[in-house]
């Protein structure tokens, strides 16, 4: 059976009176019968069908006492439950539905009993009641929806969103106050029109639905003041103080219901709902249009949206560009009670076109009401048919240029929604951070109150400590530049303790940041943080400043240029100088350092232990240094910045303070690992010391390099030195026949256009060289072929490029018919989480 529309005519402020008497509820899904009713029952039914629930309730109690038929007593009991429900007395409604279920009313009584539990926040009890409904009526889909929504509601209440909801006491009375709309000057938010049944209005009648006065439109103005924060906070806090509302004159307000309105973008035109109400007559609601005339409004004109006056429409809302009109109504083709519709204005015919139903992503068998079109691309509305926390919940749905939904509706969750009725949201432009809703939650002054909502902002802070890699001591006065992907750039300096900080006003949400660290006598360094996709649970609430804060920490070490920098993983097979995969990865860090320090010239040095002859050690170390330099040139480093030096055994390693490499804690601080010293150690420790001596490091020679200058004279101080040796030296963007192609390793700030320009090729050429780059984004460490017609046969024979969708080394190994253990060994510390489209991994 289709559930009855929760219409909340008076409760929701002009929510469209129903247009027929077809809403009386049959039992168990059968068609209703029309038995002859006793006089008292017939009178009560007349009030009930006319939606005069306050009058109907008293009459139904009297009819129940006089009725002899058990079947009719069951029906009356169910009707009383609906009266209480529509008057938002959910406790008594639950009791009546429970009684009706026991009397044999059927699935609807069980369903509404569970719904009333949920509307009181009794989510566990509601879940049990829905499960009983499912057990008794397995085909009733409402049970599954109810179970899921009750569990979700409990979860949302335990994990509230960032919104703060506050009762606006100066706008509320013990009557019904609801559905504010922005009024006054366009772009300002210090005046609203609202709907209220308070005393002092034009309509003097009592509404049979609620027993309260009729609704009128009222206005109020506010003064937004900035005050100092409390507690530790000295920052500004904005507060609005609203004046006592005054009713509009009789040009707008009448003896009938007026309310639920909207303005155009200039706030010169107003659309509002008017519902005529005659005793026990069912009349349709309609939307009216008026224009501002000085300090008042012109005579309202009917906006024709329905086929005839028996249909009800209301709750207008204009799109930000005024081209679309949304509204709620029971027009032909409605899915349930009241659906949401959209229409456009025909300027030639000077009328609104036939409306289009927003469809199943929005409309349900229940009621969809109070649409609000916002400039964030969403349509906000309330519904009692979509899964929610109580009766009416507030939802939002993305809409396209035609006003139609482009995705599913989403619940705004707690605390915007509660177990009570929550509806009629409005928001300031330029974001969904501040606005108002209407609710009949427990802390209200009346049955419906207006509440302000404020989305507490997410703030970010970046901080860290800069230290020397030589001794771990803090470095003061380091210049730290923060460059954002949004084009922003700010600078901070480290203090005496090496600490730097970028406060929350310098760091924005959804931005990727590069931090560049610079100081004389140190190599530049860089780091990366992002504020994209940070989970809400990572933030801490700062009550003093009323904000959420997440601190991103990035400590950074800087290499002093006077100390050789050891590359611990540049390893070679015995008596060979071919680079192993892990050696290439270690040298990639040198590529990054050199690109971050474009004026630095380095001496890349290879060392051996004391074993074997001096001549052999010198030759071996020189060849190894040459291999390293050739690799760096193949990665795009100019040969003039590189000096290869074979040191042999002439410069044994000295263990520095805070040493953390191989043998840390075993080798004495300050000890120089000479042959004589090593021979004093135990056999096991001798092997460790020899391995420490077999190292590759680099030393900064100078920091005044100018690009595209002739290579410097040999500056090596060891037994052998060579500048830019190897086939890769001097490789350009256009290769000669058979010439080895260059590889560019991406750093922060790179993009395809920038890289192509750097190497004198087109972006199309760059993509062609790199297999199209489909689905590939630039990331730090991404390797790109940049030499047109270059020879990449050796490069390609040893590597595989990760494709879009490939997320595990095991799957890639299977695709390549390789042992996954071998693939993992070839790629050192590379993990599945490091795989990105475009990344080259070693396969040989």
């Amino acid at each position: 059976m289709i559930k009855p529309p929760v219409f909340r005519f008076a409760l929701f402020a002009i929510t469209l009176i129903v247009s027929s008497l077809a809403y009386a509820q049959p039992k168990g899904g059968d068609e209703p019968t029309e038995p002859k009713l006793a006089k008292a029952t017939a009178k009560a039914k007349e009030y009930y069908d006319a939606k005069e629930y306050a009058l109907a309730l008293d009459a139904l109690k009297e009819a129940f006492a006089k009725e002899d038929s058990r079947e009719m007593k069951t029906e009356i009991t169910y009707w009383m439950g609906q009266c209480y429900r529509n008057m938002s007395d959910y406790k008594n409604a639950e009791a009546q539905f429970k009684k009706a279920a026991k009397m044999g009313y059927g699935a609807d009584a069980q369903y509404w009993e569970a719904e009333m539990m949920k509307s009181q926040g009794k989510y566990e009890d509601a879940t049990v009641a829905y499960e009983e409904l499912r057990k008794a009526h397995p085909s009733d889909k409402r049970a599954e929806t109810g179970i899921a929504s009750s569990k979700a509601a409990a979860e949302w209440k335990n994990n509230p969103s960032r919104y703060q909801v506050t009762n606006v006491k100066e706008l509320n009375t013990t009557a019904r106050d609801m559905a504010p709309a922005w009024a006054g000057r366009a772009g300002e938010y210090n005046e609203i029109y609202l709907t209220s049944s308070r005393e002092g209005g034009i309509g003097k009648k009592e509404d049979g639905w609620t027993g309260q006065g009729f609704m009128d439109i009222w206005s109020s103005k506010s003064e937004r003041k900035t005050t100092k924060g409390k507690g530790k906070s000295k920052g500004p806090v904005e507060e609005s103080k609203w004046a006592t509302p005054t009713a509009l004159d009789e040009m707008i307000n009448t003896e009938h219901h007026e309310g639920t309105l909207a303005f155009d973008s200039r706030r010169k035109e107003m659309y509002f709902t008017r519902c005529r109400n005659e005793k026990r007559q069912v009349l349709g609601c309609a939307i009216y249009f008026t224009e501002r005339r000085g300090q008042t409004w012109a005579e309202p004109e009917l906006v024709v949206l329905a086929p005839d006056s028996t249909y009800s429409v209301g709750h207008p809302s204009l799109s930000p560009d005024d081209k679309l009109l949304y509204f709620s109504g029971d027009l032909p083709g409605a899915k349930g009670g009241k659906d949401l519709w959209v229409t456009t204005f025909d300027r030639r015919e000077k009328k609104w076109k036939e409306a289009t139903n927003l469809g199943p992503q929005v409309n349900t068998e229940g009621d969809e009401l109070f649409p609000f079109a916002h400039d964030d691309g969403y349509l906000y509305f309330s519904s009692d048919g979509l899964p929610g926390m109580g009766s009416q919940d507030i939802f939002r749905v993305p809409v396209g240029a035609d006003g139609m939904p482009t995705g599913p509706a989403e619940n705004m969750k707690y605390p915007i929604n509660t177990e009570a009725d929550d509806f009629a949201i409005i928001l300031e432009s330029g974001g969904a951070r501040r606005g108002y809703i209407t609710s009949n939650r427990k802390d209200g002054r009346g049955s419906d109150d207006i509440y302000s909502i404020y989305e507490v902002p997410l703030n970010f802070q970046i901080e860290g400590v800069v230290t020397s890699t030589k001794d771990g001591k803090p470095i003061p006065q380091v210049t730290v530049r923060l460059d954002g992907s949004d084009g922003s750039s700010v600078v901070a300096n480290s203090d005496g303790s090496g600490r730097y900080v970028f406060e929350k006003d310098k760091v924005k949400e959804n931005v990727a940041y590069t931090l560049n660290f610079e100081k004389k006598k140190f190599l530049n360094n860089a780091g990366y943080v992002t504020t994209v996709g940070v989970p809400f649970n990572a933030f801490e609430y700062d009550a003093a400043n009323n904000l959420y804060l997440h601190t991103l920490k990035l400590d950074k070490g800087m290499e002093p240029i006077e100390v050789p920098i050891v590359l611990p993983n540049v390893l070679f097979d015995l008596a060979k100088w071919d680079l192993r995969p892990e050696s290439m990865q270690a040298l990639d860090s040198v590529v990054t350092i050199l690109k971050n320090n474009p004026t630095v010239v380095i001496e890349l040095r290879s060392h051996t232990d004391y074993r074997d002859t001096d001549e052999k050690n010198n030759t071996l170390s020189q060849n190894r240094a040459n291999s390293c330099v050739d690799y760096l040139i193949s990665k795009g480093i100019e040969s003039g910045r590189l000096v290869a030096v074979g040191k042999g055994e002439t410069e044994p390693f000295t263990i520095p303070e805070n040493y953390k490499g191989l043998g840390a804690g075993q080798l004495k601080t300050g000890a120089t690992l000479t042959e004589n010293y090593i021979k004093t150690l135990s056999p096991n420790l001798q092997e460790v010391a020899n391995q420490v001596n077999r190292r590759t490091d680099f030393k900064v020679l100078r920091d005044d390099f100018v690009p595209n200058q002739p290579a410097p004279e040999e500056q090596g101080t060891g037994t052998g030195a060579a500048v830019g040796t190897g086939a890769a030296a001097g490789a350009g963007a256009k290769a000669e026949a058979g010439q080895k192609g260059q590889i560019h390793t991406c750093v922060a700030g790179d993009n395809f256009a920038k890289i192509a320009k750097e190497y004198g090729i087109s972006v199309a050429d760059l993509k062609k060289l790199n297999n199209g780059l489909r689905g590939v984004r630039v990331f730090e460490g991404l390797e790109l072929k940049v030499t047109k017609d270059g020879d990449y046969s050796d490069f390609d024979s040893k590597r595989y490029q990760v494709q879009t969708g490939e997320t595990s080394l095991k799957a890639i190994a299977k695709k390549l018919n390789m042992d996954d253990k071998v693939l993992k060994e070839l790629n050192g510390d590379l993990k599945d989480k490091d795989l990105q489209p475009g990344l080259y991994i070693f396969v040989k």
Side-chain angles (χ1 to χ4, degrees):
M1 181 200 297
I2 296 176
K3 65 180 181 177
V6 184
F7 219 26
R8 298 181 54 88
F9 157 60
L11 185 62
F12 267 18
I14 320 310
T15 313
L16 321 171
I17 296 177
V18 293
S19 57
S20 73
L21 301 183
Y23 296 102
Q25 298 305 305
K27 294 183 291 182
D30 298 328
E31 290 299 320
T33 59
E34 296 294 340
K36 186 176 181 180
L37 302 178
K39 184 176 180 181
T41 303
K43 179 181 178 182
K45 182 69 160 52
E46 188 178 357
Y47 283 125
Y48 179 80
D49 287 340
K51 312 304 173 187
E52 296 187 277
Y53 295 117
L55 299 175
L57 192 57
D58 291 336
L60 287 168
K61 291 176 181 178
E62 181 182 347
F64 185 88
K66 295 180 179 181
E67 186 63 61
D68 295 326
S69 167
R70 177 175 175 81
E71 183 179 2
M72 189 51 63
K73 279 181 176 288
T74 302
E75 195 80 35
I76 290 172
T77 301
Y78 181 85
W79 292 344
M80 285 195 289
Q82 290 293 353
C83 287
Y84 281 121
R85 181 177 72 88
N86 282 286
M87 296 170 68
S88 300
D89 186 347
Y90 301 130
K91 183 177 180 180
N92 279 319
E94 177 195 345
Q96 291 299 319
F97 289 129
K98 183 176 183 178
K99 185 177 178 182
K102 287 183 177 180
M103 295 171 72
Y105 190 86
D108 281 347
Q110 283 185 270
Y111 170 75
W112 285 112
E113 179 189 358
E115 282 284 285
M116 295 304 97
M117 292 176 181
K118 190 172 73 169
S119 294
Q120 297 173 78
K122 296 155 60 174
Y123 296 122
E124 290 185 7
D125 292 344
T127 300
V128 172
Y130 285 122
E131 288 173 344
E132 291 175 355
L133 172 63
R134 179 174 61 181
K135 184 178 179 180
H137 304 276
S139 63
D140 196 326
K141 295 180 180 179
R142 296 177 298 180
E144 294 292 345
T145 301
I147 291 169
S149 62
S150 294
K151 291 180 178 179
E155 174 66 20
W156 296 339
K157 200 161 187 177
N158 289 332
N159 297 279
S161 71
R162 291 155 48 197
Y163 279 98
Q164 294 177 339
V165 182
T166 306
N167 190 292
V168 188
K169 294 181 178 179
E170 60 267 30
L171 292 178
N172 297 316
T173 65
T174 56
R176 304 183 192 280
D177 307 287
M178 62 194 72
W182 303 121
R185 292 183 178 180
E188 296 182 1
Y189 303 95
N190 57 5
E191 184 176 356
I192 59 171
Y193 280 15
L194 63 138
T195 303
S196 179
S197 64
R198 67 183 66 198
E199 294 182 358
I202 303 299
K204 304 300 183 184
K205 295 181 181 180
E206 182 179 290
D207 182 16
W209 184 312
T210 64
Q212 294 193 15
F214 274 39
M215 299 289 184
D216 282 329
I217 298 175
W218 302 66
S219 69
S220 177
K221 293 184 178 181
S222 79
E223 191 175 319
R224 185 171 290 180
K225 296 182 178 180
T226 300
T227 61
K228 286 187 177 181
K230 298 178 181 179
K232 297 179 181 179
S233 171
K234 300 300 180 182
V237 176
E238 286 190 347
E239 297 179 347
S240 294
K241 180 71 174 178
W242 291 96
T244 301
T246 58
L248 300 192
D249 60 27
E250 296 184 21
M251 183 64 73
I252 301 299
N253 290 322
T254 68
E255 61 180 351
H256 303 290
H257 286 288
E258 283 84 26
T260 314
L261 62 133
F263 292 92
D264 70 337
S265 60
R266 299 178 305 140
R267 301 189 187 161
K268 300 293 186 182
E269 299 175 353
M270 179 171 68
Y271 294 78
F272 67 95
T273 310
R274 175 175 288 166
C275 296
R276 295 181 60 202
N277 186 266
E278 304 292 346
K279 193 173 184 63
R280 292 185 296 283
Q281 291 188 39
V282 180
L283 303 172
C285 296
I287 294 173
Y288 287 77
F289 163 81
T290 181
E291 293 182 288
R292 183 177 289 281
R293 297 283 174 83
Q295 298 300 311
T296 186
W297 294 93
E299 179 74 30
E301 300 176 8
L302 176 67
V303 178
V304 178
L305 296 169
D308 58 58
S309 61
T310 62
Y311 293 93
S312 288
V313 295
H315 298 183
S317 177
L318 287 163
S319 61
D321 60 6
D322 300 329
K323 293 181 179 180
L324 304 173
L325 175 65
Y326 295 94
F327 63 92
S328 179
D330 61 355
L331 301 181
K335 183 176 177 62
K338 297 298 173 287
D339 282 5
L340 295 186
W341 307 77
V342 64
T343 181
T344 57
F345 192 73
D346 188 328
R347 296 189 178 279
R348 178 175 296 178
E349 297 292 332
K350 296 184 179 180
K351 66 178 183 179
W352 291 94
K353 297 179 181 179
E354 182 178 350
T356 301
N357 189 291
L358 291 193
Q361 288 182 307
V362 169
N363 293 317
T364 67
E365 293 180 349
D367 288 322
E368 280 66 50
L369 308 164
F370 299 98
F372 175 74
H374 193 250
D375 61 5
D376 64 358
Y378 284 88
L379 177 72
Y380 294 77
F381 64 98
S382 67
S383 172
D384 64 2
L386 292 169
M389 297 187 70
S391 179
Q392 285 278 339
D393 272 18
I394 296 171
F395 296 81
R396 70 174 190 172
V397 64
V399 292
D402 60 354
M404 296 299 290
T406 59
E410 61 179 292
N411 191 295
M412 294 292 287
K413 302 180 182 178
Y414 184 83
I416 283 184
N417 291 319
T418 64
E419 65 271 16
D421 295 305
D422 306 288
F423 54 98
I425 188 172
I426 61 170
L427 298 164
E428 293 183 5
S429 296
R433 181 152 288 175
R434 194 188 301 270
Y436 294 90
I437 63 171
T438 302
S439 179
N440 63 354
R441 58 190 67 188
K442 295 177 181 178
D443 62 351
R445 298 186 66 187
S447 36
D448 287 324
D449 276 10
I450 295 171
Y451 289 77
S452 67
I453 60 172
Y454 174 67
E455 188 179 29
V456 180
L458 297 178
N459 287 267
F460 297 85
Q461 179 175 288
I462 302 173
E463 65 179 30
V465 176
V466 189
T467 55
S468 170
T469 58
K470 176 184 178 181
D471 52 20
K473 293 181 179 179
I475 308 175
Q477 294 304 307
V478 175
T479 299
V480 187
R481 190 179 76 250
L482 181 70
D483 296 327
S485 58
D486 61 346
S488 61
S489 183
V490 291
V491 173
N493 291 302
S494 61
D495 60 18
S497 62
R499 182 176 182 269
Y500 71 93
V501 61
F502 292 97
E503 300 286 357
K504 59 183 181 294
D505 59 327
K506 301 293 192 299
V507 187
K508 299 177 183 177
E509 189 177 2
N510 294 322
V511 176
Y513 288 100
T514 300
L515 290 90
N516 296 287
F517 301 81
E518 299 179 7
K519 184 177 175 65
K520 285 288 186 181
K521 304 301 181 182
F522 288 85
L523 288 175
N524 297 343
N525 208 343
Y528 310 93
V529 297
T530 181
T531 61
V532 178
V534 179
F536 183 49
N537 59 13
F539 291 83
E540 292 185 5
Y541 179 60
D542 179 354
N545 293 290
N546 193 27
L547 54 83
Y548 287 98
L549 181 65
H550 175 61
T551 299
L552 297 158
K553 294 186 177 181
L554 181 66
D555 296 335
K556 187 59 61 174
M558 297 186 72
E559 304 276 4
I561 62 176
E562 73 274 10
V563 179
I565 300 164
V566 177
L567 304 173
N569 291 322
V570 178
L571 306 175
F572 298 88
D573 292 329
L574 181 65
K576 293 185 178 181
W577 51 88
D578 297 322
L579 289 176
R580 292 168 55 176
E582 58 266 42
S583 301
M584 295 179 186
Q585 291 182 4
L587 288 170
D588 286 341
S589 67
V590 181
V591 173
T592 301
I593 290 172
L594 292 173
K595 289 191 174 184
N596 286 334
N597 297 267
T599 63
V600 163
V601 176
I602 67 167
E603 180 181 81
L604 199 143
R605 303 137 31 109
S606 182
H607 304 260
T608 66
D609 58 35
Y610 64 82
R611 294 173 291 191
D612 217 328
T613 66
D614 289 349
E615 182 180 359
K616 287 184 178 180
N617 282 338
N618 292 339
T619 300
L620 178 62
S621 63
Q622 184 63 51
N623 287 335
R624 287 176 173 177
N626 290 344
S627 293
C628 293
V629 166
D630 286 349
Y631 179 80
L632 296 178
I633 292 174
S634 76
K635 291 289 187 173
I637 304 301
E638 291 191 46
S639 60
R641 301 179 61 193
L642 306 169
V643 178
V645 177
K647 302 292 290 185
E649 59 180 280
T650 62
E651 195 173 291
F653 187 71
T654 299
I655 305 299
E657 289 185 38
N658 302 313
Y659 176 65
K660 297 180 181 179
L662 180 67
Q666 297 175 287
L667 300 171
K668 185 178 179 181
T669 299
T672 299
L673 305 183
T674 62
E675 180 178 356
N676 290 335
Y677 176 78
I678 290 175
K679 288 182 176 179
T680 67
L681 303 175
S682 66
N684 288 339
L685 203 52
Q686 285 187 37
E687 183 54 40
V688 171
N690 280 321
Q691 190 171 346
V692 170
N693 269 337
R694 295 194 303 270
R695 68 194 186 278
T696 299
D697 60 25
F698 73 85
K699 181 178 181 180
V700 176
L701 297 177
R702 68 179 203 273
D703 60 359
D704 60 353
F705 178 77
V706 178
N708 300 319
Q709 295 296 307
E713 295 296 326
E714 293 186 358
Q715 301 179 52
T717 57
T719 58
V723 180
T725 62
K734 177 77 173 179
E736 296 180 5
Q739 186 172 349
K740 187 176 179 180
Q742 283 184 263
I743 298 294
H744 174 88
T745 302
C746 295
V747 297
D750 274 352
N751 57 58
F752 293 138
K754 178 180 177 182
I755 296 166
K757 183 177 180 181
E758 179 180 347
Y759 292 94
I761 59 177
S762 68
V763 173
D765 289 334
L766 182 67
K767 291 183 176 181
K768 185 176 180 181
L769 279 168
N770 293 276
N771 303 317
L773 297 175
R774 187 178 300 276
V776 177
R777 294 183 178 182
V778 175
F779 57 88
E780 184 189 2
L782 172 66
E783 295 177 310
L784 294 172
K785 302 171 187 176
V786 293
T787 307
K788 193 174 180 181
D789 301 326
D791 181 5
Y792 290 100
S793 56
D794 182 63
F795 180 88
D796 290 336
S797 68
K798 298 177 181 178
R799 294 168 177 81
Y800 170 78
Q801 189 179 39
V802 177
Q803 304 299 305
T804 301
E806 294 181 329
T807 58
S808 77
L809 288 167
K810 187 173 183 179
I812 294 173
K814 184 177 180 181
K815 177 180 178 180
L816 300 177
N817 295 318
M818 288 183 65
D819 186 318
D820 62 289
K821 292 182 180 179
V822 173
L823 184 64
K824 290 177 181 179
E825 288 176 0
L826 284 170
N827 289 280
D829 295 330
L830 187 70
K831 306 296 182 185
D832 286 347
K833 64 182 179 64
D834 301 322
L835 297 177
Q836 297 188 56
L839 177 71
Y840 282 103
I841 60 175
F842 289 99
V843 294
K844 288 184 180 179

